[in-house]
Amino acid sequence: MDLSYSDEQKQIKEGVERFVREQYAFDTRRKIAGSEKGWLPENWAKFAELGWLGMSFSEADGGFGGGAIETMIAMEAFGSGLVLEPYLPTVVMGGGLLAAGGSAAQKEALLAPMIAGEKQFAVAYVEKQARFNLADVAVVAKKDGAGYAISGHKGVVYNAASADTIFVTARTSGGQRDEKGITVFAVDAKSAGITRRDYPTQDALRASELTFDNVKVGADSVVGKVDDGHALFEGVIDRSIVALCAEAVGCMDAINKATLEYIKTRKQFGVPIGKFQVLQHRMVDCFTNAQEARSMTLMAALKIDDADATVRKKAASGAKVQIGKSGKFCGQSAVQMHGGMGVTDELSVSHYFKRLTMIETLFGNQQHHLSRYANLSVAA
Amino acid sequence: MDLALSAEDRAFADEVRAFARANLSPATIAKTRSGRHYDRDDHLAWQRALGKRGWHVYTWPKKYGGPGWSVTQRFLFENVLAEEGAPRILPFGPKMVGPVIYTFGNEEQKRRFLPDIVTSNILWCQGYSEPGSGSDLASLRTRAVRDGDHYVVNGQKTWTSAAHWADWIFCLVRTDTDAKPQEGISFLLIDMKSPGITVKPIIMLDGAHHVNDVFFDNVRVPAVNLIGKEGEGWTYAKFLLANERLGIAEVAASKRGVQGLRDIARAELADDGGKLIDDMGFREKIADLDLQLSALEMSELRALSTMQLGGAPGPEVSILKIRGSEIQQRIAELACEAVGNYAMPYQPELLFRDSNESPIGPAHAVPAAARYLNMRKTSIYGGTNEIQKNVISKMVLGL
Ligand SMILES: Cc1cc2nc3c(=O)[nH]c(=O)nc-3n(C[C@H](O)[C@H](O)[C@H](O)COP(=O)(O)OP(=O)(O)OC[C@H]3O[C@@H](n4cnc5c(N)ncnc54)[C@H](O)[C@@H]3O)c2cc1C
């Protein structure tokens, strides 16, 4: 067992942390959030140049041979600065689908340019009626000549407005909640029949509602196997969960740091409020929560490639439960300990709190993952 | 002792309901139901209608223009109005400064200020907190210096709710810098139109504008606007805080909130495609909340009934503030949980403006996250929950 970073990993960590420190001051972030795309193309170019877009992919896939740990390192640093660039949808989710299920041709056409910083991705899977059930897919892909025609509605698709390719889960056979019969498609974002309604999210990211109206795609747009997309997709979401957990760990460290600093400097009754024992204990609980979150995330990152799918699923769900709990505790506590300042838009604390709140919901909330973990534990 | 309502009580509730239905505008009710924020006119129209009926100051004794209701009537009034979708009555006039004026003010002040509170003709705001004085309110520094028959006020108040709507502000000011902190404070009524007052908005984490910074630059305030004696403002301030803490348990609104939560759970689907309300885990979370609310409601009724018998609200009302705020937060938290992925879209036009843009997800999801975030304020304002616990441990438990 060895829980220390390699030299290369340390270098990555320092690099991403430096980027956040130098390019993501809170005021700068506010400007980026308000810019046209909601993220900066020059930052993305830098990510490509520094190898961050390819570092978690195998060399065979045109990457640099890293994996979940490298993703974790980057996401944690991004979380600490509330970075807005669409790393999660493009690299982790879209790139992850291609790496796990893409054909050689798809990897060449999509993954390679993504790693070079030339393509953006979005993943359309949320459906209104499905809640967090990935197998509940009502969007249909009907056989249409040699290819398929996709119809239906997908919601809360992050980065859709900036994406060149949208990965879509669609039903090619079976009943609405069957795992069998789901197929993943790589769809050109400019295809005829896609209507988008774009909007900002609570945490200053960009998402869209997408309507697919008889969108024609070729047979070569299927990622993985027809009807067998569920396992592929679930695996990628599990990996994305670990990445998201790492982002949350970064958020928690940052919000705890800001709060610690605040209670050391804010004075009431003639003393720094950090002198009050009730705040000391709460701060200790924040620290403990962040430590637990870090531990569960690291464990999940180390287990996420396990050959046994149950081990992988439990690791992802376990970490997600912890992140939900810890994120809520740290977020609410930070706001509370800041008093009135905590509920203003002005300080960064409320922005970390918002991101942590959305992270708790993304890919399934605590309740969903607790059930999943509980069921897997009984089944095993 | 008896929990049952008498025939007269039921008739009273019917009367209140009929009044609400006749006087609440459909647009205002729609805002309540959809979680949109009210504007000044929504509040004013409703409060003035109540005022005409003598119900705006529903907690006041008859002597000062109130209805002199029993605890039961107050309870029914609050519950019926919440059920009918009425906006909260802004507390600054009727629940805060009004009782201070009729308890500690002189006859001239009562004549001058009370009628406009009874009718809701003018709106008040509360100038207590300052940037350096939140929990430690007694350290406040806004200075009032006597100059002939005026005070000259300089300083800054912050977190002032509704200052951008208000006609008048009641302020705690320092009139003596040599005395002990609590002894140099006075209670002053100030016209918001006075030269030298500047109001600047503070934007909340959900984008809402309710609170403000209020700056005073050589503001001349007639000395006749001083309540009671100079230097005794702290006594009046504490009297007001006890009333404030009693008023912000928001039991009736929370009952409506729990109902609303059940409605959302009926409309939302669980992971298995069934209704969320049929998911035992979620159903029990609502039940647990419902039970906490019952305990709070009964505790509030007990406190009110003590007051009815002539007792003053004691330090134990801090318990109501603590639990009341936690319950409001929990309702918002569960609503946010219930709407799942559709907590994520941010639609300020639908929260703060009269836009007819269509909601991105279900309509009930639009305010869910914003409300959850915003409700964190309830354990901060009116004295933080930590401060309330300090009060209880010191004043009630003697620790
Ligand atoms: C939405 C909103 C509306 C408001 N409206 C008004 C208004 O209309 N008028 C008005 O005058 N004020 C208003 N306030 C101000 C409110 O009363 C203060 O925010 C509150 O008293 C806390 O003060 P503070 O924000 O300075 O926090 P601080 O006092 O700085 O507190 C920061 C943290 O330290 C803790 N703390 C402080 N002292 C102690 C202690 N002795 N022991 C343990 N913990 C301690 C607090 O509990 C809190 O967690 C409003 C506030 C909000 C958020």
Side-chain angles (χ1 to χ4, degrees):
Chain A
M1 198 163 52
D2 177 10
L3 297 182
S4 56
Y5 292 126
S6 69
D7 286 342
E8 294 80 50
Q9 289 169 339
K10 278 187 204 147
Q11 265 175 24
I12 295 168
K13 188 167 151 64
E14 275 160 28
V16 191
E17 285 174 355
R18 185 174 333 111
F19 164 80
V20 170
R21 209 167 42 243
E22 289 171 3
Q23 309 295 327
Y24 251 84
F26 184 57
D27 288 347
T28 314
R29 178 191 184 261
R30 207 188 272 280
K31 286 199 197 97
I32 298 174
S35 69
E36 194 200 334
K37 286 178 188 297
W39 55 275
L40 286 191
E42 52 264 46
N43 283 345
W44 198 257
K46 189 172 286 169
F47 288 11
E49 187 192 314
L50 294 169
W52 300 343
L53 303 180
M55 65 189 176
S56 301
F57 299 98
S58 71
E59 282 166 27
D61 286 345
F64 309 115
I69 298 293
E70 282 71 15
T71 305
M72 181 187 83
I73 290 170
M75 288 299 289
E76 184 186 328
F78 291 155
S80 73
L82 293 174
V83 167
L84 297 156
E85 278 66 23
Y87 196 86
L88 186 65
T90 298
V91 182
V92 183
M93 298 175 74
L97 279 168
L98 290 165
S103 64
Q106 285 168 336
K107 285 178 182 172
E108 195 187 315
L110 301 173
L111 189 57
M114 187 282 282
I115 290 173
E118 290 151 13
K119 270 194 193 300
Q120 286 281 331
F121 299 149
V123 180
Y125 71 100
V126 169
E127 296 192 9
K128 276 185 184 159
Q129 83 290 342
R131 199 167 182 81
F132 302 121
N133 182 355
L134 298 176
D136 186 337
V137 176
V139 165
V140 289
K142 279 208 194 93
K143 262 295 198 194
D144 181 72
Y148 294 85
I150 302 174
S151 291
H153 185 91
K154 293 285 186 183
V156 203
V157 185
Y158 282 92
N159 203 39
S162 294
D164 302 286
T165 303
I166 300 174
F167 296 89
V168 187
T169 53
R171 187 151 293 287
T172 35
S173 70
Q176 192 187 304
R177 277 185 289 279
D178 291 348
E179 291 185 359
K180 182 79 184 166
I182 295 169
T183 304
V184 180
F185 293 90
V187 182
D188 186 325
K190 289 187 202 67
S191 307
I194 300 181
T195 329
R196 259 189 12 238
R197 181 176 178 191
D198 302 335
Y199 50 85
T201 55
Q202 304 287 341
D203 47 357
L205 294 171
R206 304 292 172 87
S208 311
E209 297 299 292
L210 296 182
T211 307
F212 296 82
D213 182 12
N214 218 19
V215 176
K216 313 249 190 222
V217 295
D220 58 353
S221 68
V222 172
V223 182
K225 292 203 190 79
V226 174
D227 285 347
D228 279 335
H230 180 72
L232 163 69
F233 196 76
E234 195 185 23
V236 170
I237 292 294
D238 280 338
R239 294 178 137 267
S240 307
I241 285 174
V242 181
L244 184 70
C245 289
E247 184 185 345
V249 168
C251 285
M252 278 182 243
D253 274 356
I255 202 173
N256 285 349
K257 195 171 153 215
T259 306
L260 182 60
E261 185 58 33
Y262 190 78
I263 69 172
K264 281 182 178 172
T265 44
R266 166 73 173 169
K267 284 191 176 163
Q268 287 291 274
F269 304 99
V271 293
I273 55 176
K275 288 277 174 229
F276 300 122
Q277 203 161 42
V278 66
L279 296 199
Q280 291 173 351
H281 285 191
R282 189 143 181 185
M283 199 68 241
V284 170
D285 288 338
C286 287
F287 179 72
T288 309
N289 264 284
Q291 289 295 322
E292 287 174 319
R294 177 176 293 284
S295 297
M296 289 298 278
T297 301
L298 180 60
M299 182 165 75
L302 292 168
K303 286 184 174 180
I304 202 70
D305 292 314
D306 199 290
D308 181 347
T310 305
V311 171
R312 181 203 80 214
K313 292 179 192 182
K314 282 176 73 178
S317 283
K320 190 67 173 48
V321 169
Q322 180 67 55
I323 250 67
K325 235 189 275 179
S326 293
K328 190 172 272 185
F329 186 84
C330 293
Q332 294 183 349
S333 298
V335 168
Q336 184 67 23
M337 288 191 269
H338 275 79
M341 290 308 296
V343 282
T344 62
D345 174 68
E346 187 187 332
L347 294 195
S348 66
V349 201
S350 68
H351 298 260
Y352 284 103
F353 177 44
K354 285 196 261 192
R355 180 64 187 147
L356 284 168
T357 302
M358 294 301 109
I359 286 176
E360 138 86 330
T361 302
L362 193 55
F363 305 138
N365 61 17
Q366 259 183 81
Q367 189 61 58
H368 170 83
H369 284 287
L370 188 64
S371 302
R372 187 177 184 236
Y373 185 89
N375 293 333
L376 288 163
S377 305
V378 173
Chain B
M1 280 198 215
D2 192 358
L3 265 180
L5 296 178
S6 66
E8 296 88 78
D9 293 336
R10 280 197 300 272
F12 172 79
D14 290 342
E15 190 190 348
V16 174
R17 197 175 303 283
F19 174 84
R21 292 194 176 161
N23 288 279
L24 273 171
S25 83
T28 301
I29 297 176
K31 283 189 182 178
T32 308
R33 305 276 180 233
S34 63
R36 275 186 203 210
H37 290 240
Y38 310 110
D39 55 31
R40 185 179 193 266
D41 288 343
D42 296 321
H43 283 290
L44 269 187
W46 170 235
Q47 290 179 184
R48 286 180 180 167
L50 285 168
K52 279 211 183 93
R53 186 69 183 257
W55 289 354
H56 177 237
V57 294
Y58 69 97
T59 56
W60 290 19
K62 281 209 169 102
K63 190 169 166 200
Y64 301 114
W69 282 340
S70 67
V71 170
T72 314
Q73 285 170 309
R74 279 166 66 164
F75 167 82
L76 290 171
F77 180 75
E78 288 172 0
N79 277 277
V80 170
L81 293 192
E83 283 162 19
E84 294 300 317
R88 179 176 88 110
I89 297 174
L90 295 172
F92 313 106
K95 293 216 173 150
M96 294 187 183
V97 76
V100 167
I101 293 173
Y102 68 63
T103 310
F104 303 106
N106 59 35
E107 290 311 313
E108 169 57 22
Q109 288 167 336
K110 291 181 201 168
R111 244 193 325 273
R112 223 176 119 204
F113 294 108
L114 295 183
D116 282 335
I117 300 177
V118 171
T119 55
S120 193
N121 194 32
I122 66 163
L123 284 181
W124 285 84
C125 62
Q126 176 188 26
Y128 273 28
S129 307
E130 298 181 7
S133 309
S135 298
D136 182 12
L137 186 57
S139 69
L140 63 93
R141 293 214 305 248
T142 294
R143 191 83 172 88
V145 178
R146 187 73 185 241
D147 178 30
D149 53 6
H150 280 77
Y151 285 99
V152 179
V153 178
N154 280 289
Q156 181 192 348
K157 293 294 173 182
T158 189
W159 311 121
T160 322
S161 303
H164 55 309
W165 291 344
D167 307 294
W168 280 72
I169 182 169
F170 55 92
C171 279
L172 293 181
V173 292
R174 186 158 299 286
T175 38
D176 185 347
T177 46
D178 297 330
K180 280 201 212 142
Q182 283 85 343
E183 288 166 10
I185 293 172
S186 300
F187 197 107
L188 209 52
L189 312 180
I190 306 178
D191 187 338
M192 288 294 281
K193 287 185 292 296
S194 313
I197 294 185
T198 317
V199 177
K200 286 200 180 134
I202 299 175
I203 301 303
M204 302 290 279
L205 76 177
D206 60 345
H209 170 209
H210 291 303
V211 298
N212 306 271
D213 281 315
V214 183
F215 298 89
F216 297 85
D217 178 17
N218 283 320
V219 177
R220 295 186 66 81
V221 182
V224 292
N225 292 2
L226 178 82
I227 292 289
K229 289 209 193 88
E230 194 180 283
E232 292 193 0
W234 190 246
T235 313
Y236 319 140
K238 280 198 308 193
F239 166 86
L240 183 151
L241 280 178
N243 283 326
E244 176 180 3
R245 283 163 194 176
L246 185 63
I248 52 185
E250 297 284 357
V251 174
S254 286
K255 280 162 83 175
R256 177 171 76 201
V258 171
Q259 221 34 61
L261 185 56
R262 285 209 178 89
D263 290 341
I264 293 175
R266 277 189 197 98
E268 287 287 339
L269 298 181
D271 284 348
D272 63 3
K275 287 182 167 33
L276 187 61
I277 193 85
D278 293 331
D279 175 292
M280 242 2 236
F282 199 77
R283 198 188 267 196
E284 284 175 4
K285 282 183 188 171
I286 304 180
D288 185 45
L289 182 56
D290 199 343
L291 285 169
Q292 292 178 39
L293 185 54
S294 294
L296 175 68
E297 179 172 39
M298 199 62 200
S299 301
E300 190 183 65
L301 284 173
R302 283 171 51 222
L304 285 171
S305 132
T306 312
M307 280 171 67
Q308 175 136 309
L309 297 174
E316 59 279 1
V317 296
S318 286
I319 296 171
L320 307 178
K321 197 274 166 171
I322 294 171
R323 281 289 181 252
S325 61
E326 289 171 350
I327 288 168
Q328 291 175 71
Q329 292 175 337
R330 183 71 181 146
I331 293 171
E333 194 172 316
L334 285 182
C336 197
E337 182 179 328
V339 303
N341 289 300
Y342 282 92
M344 294 174 186
Y346 179 54
Q347 287 191 277
E349 316 74 32
L350 286 186
L351 292 173
F352 309 124
R353 291 179 274 284
D354 289 328
S355 153
N356 45 19
E357 184 179 305
S358 65
I360 285 157
H364 62 241
V366 174
R371 220 180 142 68
Y372 165 63
L373 298 165
N374 188 282
M375 281 295 116
R376 301 315 303 172
K377 71 187 178 189
T378 64
S379 52
I380 296 168
Y381 65 28
T384 68
N385 284 14
E386 286 79 8
I387 293 299
Q388 309 294 344
K389 287 183 187 178
N390 288 350
V391 169
I392 296 166
S393 71
K394 195 167 153 196
M395 311 292 283
V396 182
L397 304 179
L399 289 171

